[in-house]
Amino acid sequence: MVTIKDISKKCGVSPATVSKALNGYDDISEETIRLVRQTASELNYTPNAAARLLKTSTSHNIGVLFVDDTMSGLTHEYFSYILNSVKEEAEKNGYDITFISQTLGKRKMSFLQHCLYRNCDGVVIASVNFASRAVHELITSDVPVITIDYAYDNVSSVISDNVEGAYELANYLLDKGHRRIAFIHGELTSVTNKRLVGFNRAMKERGLSVDPDYLIEARYHDADSVRKATARLMDLPVPPTAIMFPDDISYLGGQAELQQRGLRIPDDISVCGYDGINLAGLIQPPLTTWHQDADRIGKESVRKLIETIEHRSTCAAEQIMVSGQLVSGSSVREWDEKM
Amino acid sequence: MVTIKDISKKCGVSPATVSKALNGYDDISEETIRLVRQTASELNYTPNAAARLLKTSTSHNIGVLFVDDTMSGLTHEYFSYILNSVKEEAEKNGYDITFISQTLGKRKMSFLQHCLYRNCDGVVIASVNFASRAVHELITSDVPVITIDYAYDNVSSVISDNVEGAYELANYLLDKGHRRIAFIHGELTSVTNKRLVGFNRAMKERGLSVDPDYLIEARYHDADSVRKATARLMDLPVPPTAIMFPDDISYLGGQAELQQRGLRIPDDISVCGYDGINLAGLIQPPLTTWHQDADRIGKESVRKLIETIEHRSTCAAEQIMVSGQLVSGSSVREWDEKM
DNA sequence: CCTCTTACCGAAAACGATTAAAAAATATTC
DNA sequence: GAATATTTTTTAATCGTTTTCGGTAAGAGG
């Protein structure tokens, strides 16, 4: 490995000078700067991040906490888009990213310890069990943190507007004339609660009451559980004319159930998903869904996190709400209310 | 930050003793080991990976190179499963993973430089343009490397058996009685070539010739291009009775085209995909496809890479072939040859 | 010719850990 | 109890950088 010392020897200057020349200090003459930079690239010099970190105590490395016990996260399309965007924005700003976990070899370590061990300047947290002790410990530590889709006190967060999403979807269905609208929602997390708020608000604004039979809990991303929920809905004496599903993937479970019952989409029943992943536009019929702006969510997270890292004292916690967008496929039809 | 010195002061021993006690050297008395470990956990001590690296020159950090210019990679379900598995296996062995890119802030750096900068002990390479100079530079460098789905000389690789996959799929269709089998394949990469070999072999074994009209190139993961390819096939004077698609996702483009033409799957035409992602079992009808064992591919890569890292001299390059598995859905029907 | 700026450069001390080699403490043997 | 062997601990150097604080040389001004 070629070090700063090698350059200093070759140039006949001290290591200090080399360091300064490389880092653009202004007390080095133009000439030596040229010489040093020249030989650095000749020798194919690469700085050593670890040594630099040791001295400056900033690693230019941000941790990402994206996976919990259930192991979805990386393989969840919505989150993998966020991750991709986080990665790009981080790199654009000179930061690398490292996954944070709870086990390193045989050593068990907490998330916080892992961050300290790797000297992460900050951490992006998403898709984890926010109620867990380990996550809580990290969030309340001194390490700058940003959470995605979950709001904590005194911590910045970037949140996809779930109230808006469910509200707009419900309104879309209502506008099409549907009145018997069912909502299969995910587990009662904070995200789900927001969506319920949006859903209820839309109904209330039209003076409609929500039939409790039409509100069913299933599991996000779990086609099976959603399939069962769909079956329960369609077995009701008065089944819904439209169903809002927890997400685009689990909708496929519902779709299977509906098709098996000989119901055509959207002729016999209207449906919509949530997330707006690529897939939604590819399946038949294209799914009307709510597109969460994963790209923007990732970017904003990193932007705000870096702001927090670099101006720690002056940077106030902030909640950043990211709007989504309704993507209309052809899974919803006009409905003549004739009940 | 609490360091080894803090512990040494509190315990009244030298830093060296603390280090040894923590790392389980056998020339430290049981008693001091207990004392040191005790106070270490009391003070909530976390070692500093950077400092350790500087002295030992091993970072326990492996780089992953998963994305190229086209930016798919993280958002490709097959690769995200590989990534997930790489991550898990790495963590299990005490390694963290860091994404390697070509730009860090405003600095342009080659992949190799990035690895050196972050002191990666080794790199897993997948889903990149293997022909590029930058990748080549990394692969031929001193950094231990493993490639996925691409074989390089003198470098270990883990390869999904694409000959087997296409061969088995074609055979499956042949067994069902199909004779007019089309193969929409991806860009002519080494992976695609292997699949073509498998396909041709299966046909040849039955004494069938391959109709060049039935071999169409499209783009992986691109529903649009596959849709067009499908259209071209079905516009032939004698269209195929079965189509093999480049992958499960892009199949959806083909599906759309077939449905639009009023063709039912599998009654009017049989289809199969490739990859065997979760999605394949969720769509209607469930897709017959070839499951690539992403989990095993990730694990084997890391296992072999770590072996290379830790026994650099004695560890020979090796090609590891990973078998897949046919997943039969209901997208293929028996076909009575009546041509 | 002396002093004062200004412009460059270098010495040396860190950062937090590891690890030879030396030293000190303790145990063993006669 | 001295000599020797054994166990335990410490000293000090080192990894590759950064950065403070002086130091030197050259030119300016008198």
Side-chain angles (χ1 to χ4, degrees):
Chain A
M1 184 172 213
V2 28
T3 79
I4 244 178
K5 251 182 219 160
D6 299 320
I7 301 179
S8 88
K9 260 180 217 138
K10 188 129 190 237
C11 291
V13 297
S14 78
T17 306
V18 174
S19 172
K20 289 181 185 171
L22 256 22
N23 291 310
Y25 277 54
D26 60 357
D27 63 345
I28 303 293
S29 71
E30 285 299 331
E31 197 184 359
T32 29
I33 287 187
R34 254 202 321 281
L35 175 63
V36 167
R37 296 223 171 134
Q38 168 71 20
T39 51
S41 83
E42 269 171 20
L43 297 181
N44 224 316
Y45 166 76
T46 312
N48 185 323
R52 175 176 289 171
L53 153 60
L54 208 51
K55 201 74 210 349
T56 63
S57 62
T58 104
S59 63
H60 281 271
N61 195 76
I62 82 182
V64 295
L65 194 48
F66 257 55
V67 191
D68 60 356
D69 352 303
T70 79
M71 200 221 82
S72 77
L74 291 192
T75 53
H76 188 310
E77 191 174 327
Y78 169 59
F79 285 109
S80 63
Y81 270 92
I82 293 184
L83 175 61
N84 194 62
S85 150
V86 161
K87 171 176 179 293
E88 285 190 354
E89 185 69 10
E91 281 167 2
K92 197 177 295 174
N93 289 282
Y95 286 77
D96 277 316
I97 76 185
T98 293
F99 287 112
I100 296 306
S101 66
Q102 295 204 76
T103 41
L104 210 45
K106 46 239 87 179
R107 291 240 163 292
K108 277 247 171 236
M109 43 170 62
S110 69
F111 291 130
L112 174 57
Q113 280 179 317
H114 197 158
C115 288
L116 296 175
Y117 179 62
R118 288 292 178 192
N119 301 281
C120 292
D121 292 339
V123 193
V124 179
I125 307 181
S127 177
V128 297
N129 174 12
F130 282 96
S132 79
R133 294 195 53 68
V135 172
H136 189 265
E137 178 196 33
L138 175 58
I139 287 178
T140 55
S141 75
D142 283 338
V143 180
V145 152
I146 193 145
T147 56
I148 291 181
D149 281 350
Y150 193 92
Y152 245 93
D153 284 347
N154 306 321
V155 168
S156 293
S157 55
V158 175
I159 299 192
S160 183
D161 195 339
N162 283 285
V163 176
E164 176 195 37
Y167 176 82
E168 294 290 342
L169 281 174
N171 252 334
Y172 180 83
L173 294 172
L174 289 163
D175 285 346
K176 293 278 186 185
H178 291 274
R179 287 301 173 266
R180 304 206 306 274
I181 303 176
F183 184 13
I184 301 178
H185 56 77
E187 304 93 325
L188 291 173
T189 59
S190 66
V191 165
T192 306
N193 287 328
K194 295 290 187 193
R195 293 189 193 172
L196 284 168
V197 168
F199 178 76
N200 286 322
R201 178 178 302 163
M203 297 295 274
K204 194 167 177 187
E205 281 182 8
R206 309 267 175 150
L208 299 171
S209 66
V210 173
D211 182 344
D213 283 346
Y214 284 0
L215 240 39
I216 300 198
E217 176 173 338
R219 301 225 305 276
Y220 284 115
H221 244 235
D222 181 335
D224 250 15
S225 89
V226 166
R227 178 169 193 157
K228 286 187 192 119
T230 308
R232 269 171 61 202
L233 279 177
M234 300 318 288
D235 283 339
L236 288 175
V238 184
T241 67
I243 307 180
M244 290 169 52
F245 285 90
D247 58 85
D248 297 343
I249 287 288
S250 66
Y251 153 71
L252 293 171
Q255 186 189 36
E257 180 66 24
L258 295 171
Q259 284 187 1
Q260 199 196 316
R261 289 168 181 250
L263 297 169
R264 289 157 309 160
I265 300 169
D267 307 273
D268 302 319
I269 184 154
S270 294
V271 296
C272 58
Y274 207 103
D275 279 353
I277 59 180
N278 278 339
L279 173 69
L282 298 177
I283 55 179
Q284 298 304 318
L287 184 62
T288 294
T289 184
W290 182 257
H291 176 70
Q292 304 197 75
D293 195 345
D295 202 57
R296 180 122 175 276
I297 291 173
K299 276 198 184 10
E300 288 290 333
S301 311
V302 172
R303 189 194 55 69
K304 179 66 185 176
L305 180 60
I306 291 182
E307 191 183 319
T308 315
I309 291 169
E310 296 181 351
H311 312 96
R312 196 119 52 134
S313 44
T314 65
C315 181
E318 183 184 0
Q319 281 207 21
I320 299 165
M321 193 66 88
V322 173
S323 276
Q325 194 179 357
L326 194 137
V327 179
S328 72
S330 33
S331 62
V332 176
R333 62 162 267 197
E334 305 270 344
W335 194 265
D336 257 337
E337 188 56 20
K338 49 197 166 182
M339 85 187 238
Chain B
M1 184 172 213
V2 27
T3 77
I4 242 178
K5 251 183 219 159
D6 299 319
I7 301 178
S8 88
K9 262 182 214 137
K10 189 128 188 239
C11 292
V13 297
S14 77
T17 307
V18 174
S19 172
K20 288 181 182 171
L22 255 23
N23 291 309
Y25 277 55
D26 59 357
D27 63 346
I28 303 292
S29 71
E30 284 298 331
E31 197 184 357
T32 31
I33 288 187
R34 255 204 318 281
L35 175 64
V36 166
R37 296 225 170 133
Q38 168 70 19
T39 52
S41 83
E42 268 171 21
L43 296 181
N44 224 316
Y45 166 77
T46 312
N48 185 324
R52 175 176 291 171
L53 152 61
L54 209 52
K55 196 76 218 322
T56 63
S57 61
T58 103
S59 63
H60 281 271
N61 195 76
I62 82 183
V64 295
L65 194 48
F66 257 55
V67 191
D68 60 357
D69 351 302
T70 79
M71 200 221 83
S72 77
L74 291 192
T75 54
H76 188 309
E77 192 175 329
Y78 170 59
F79 285 109
S80 62
Y81 270 91
I82 293 184
L83 175 60
N84 194 63
S85 148
V86 162
K87 173 177 178 291
E88 286 191 353
E89 186 69 10
E91 281 167 2
K92 195 176 296 174
N93 289 282
Y95 286 76
D96 277 315
I97 77 184
T98 293
F99 287 112
I100 296 305
S101 67
Q102 294 205 76
T103 42
L104 209 44
K106 46 239 89 177
R107 292 239 163 293
K108 278 245 172 239
M109 43 171 61
S110 69
F111 291 130
L112 175 57
Q113 281 179 316
H114 196 158
C115 288
L116 296 175
Y117 179 62
R118 289 292 179 192
N119 301 281
C120 293
D121 292 340
V123 193
V124 179
I125 307 180
S127 177
V128 297
N129 174 11
F130 282 96
S132 80
R133 294 195 53 69
V135 172
H136 189 264
E137 179 196 32
L138 175 57
I139 288 178
T140 54
S141 75
D142 283 338
V143 180
V145 152
I146 193 145
T147 55
I148 292 180
D149 281 349
Y150 193 93
Y152 245 92
D153 284 345
N154 305 323
V155 167
S156 293
S157 55
V158 175
I159 299 191
S160 182
D161 194 338
N162 282 286
V163 176
E164 175 195 37
Y167 176 81
E168 293 292 341
L169 282 174
N171 252 335
Y172 181 83
L173 294 172
L174 289 163
D175 285 346
K176 293 278 187 185
H178 291 275
R179 287 300 173 268
R180 303 206 305 275
I181 304 176
F183 184 12
I184 301 178
H185 57 77
E187 304 92 324
L188 290 172
T189 60
S190 65
V191 165
T192 307
N193 287 329
K194 294 291 187 191
R195 293 189 193 171
L196 284 168
V197 167
F199 178 76
N200 286 322
R201 179 178 302 164
M203 298 295 275
K204 192 166 180 187
E205 282 181 10
R206 309 266 176 149
L208 299 170
S209 67
V210 174
D211 182 343
D213 283 346
Y214 284 179
L215 239 39
I216 299 198
E217 176 173 339
R219 301 226 304 277
Y220 284 116
H221 243 235
D222 182 334
D224 250 15
S225 89
V226 167
R227 177 169 193 157
K228 286 187 192 117
T230 308
R232 269 172 61 202
L233 279 177
M234 300 318 287
D235 283 340
L236 289 175
V238 184
T241 66
I243 306 180
M244 290 169 53
F245 285 91
D247 57 86
D248 297 344
I249 286 288
S250 65
Y251 154 70
L252 293 171
Q255 186 189 36
E257 180 66 24
L258 294 172
Q259 283 186 0
Q260 199 196 315
R261 290 170 179 246
L263 296 169
R264 289 158 308 160
I265 301 168
D267 307 276
D268 301 318
I269 183 153
S270 294
V271 296
C272 58
Y274 207 102
D275 278 356
I277 59 181
N278 278 339
L279 173 68
L282 298 176
I283 55 179
Q284 298 303 320
L287 183 62
T288 294
T289 184
W290 182 258
H291 176 70
Q292 304 198 75
D293 196 345
D295 201 58
R296 180 125 174 273
I297 291 172
K299 277 199 183 7
E300 289 290 333
S301 311
V302 173
R303 189 193 57 68
K304 179 66 184 177
L305 180 60
I306 292 182
E307 191 183 321
T308 316
I309 291 170
E310 296 181 351
H311 312 96
R312 196 116 56 130
S313 45
T314 65
C315 182
E318 183 183 0
Q319 281 208 23
I320 300 165
M321 193 67 87
V322 174
S323 276
Q325 194 179 356
L326 194 138
V327 179
S328 73
S330 33
S331 62
V332 175
R333 62 162 267 195
E334 305 269 344
W335 192 265
D336 258 336
E337 189 57 20
K338 49 198 163 183
M339 82 189 239

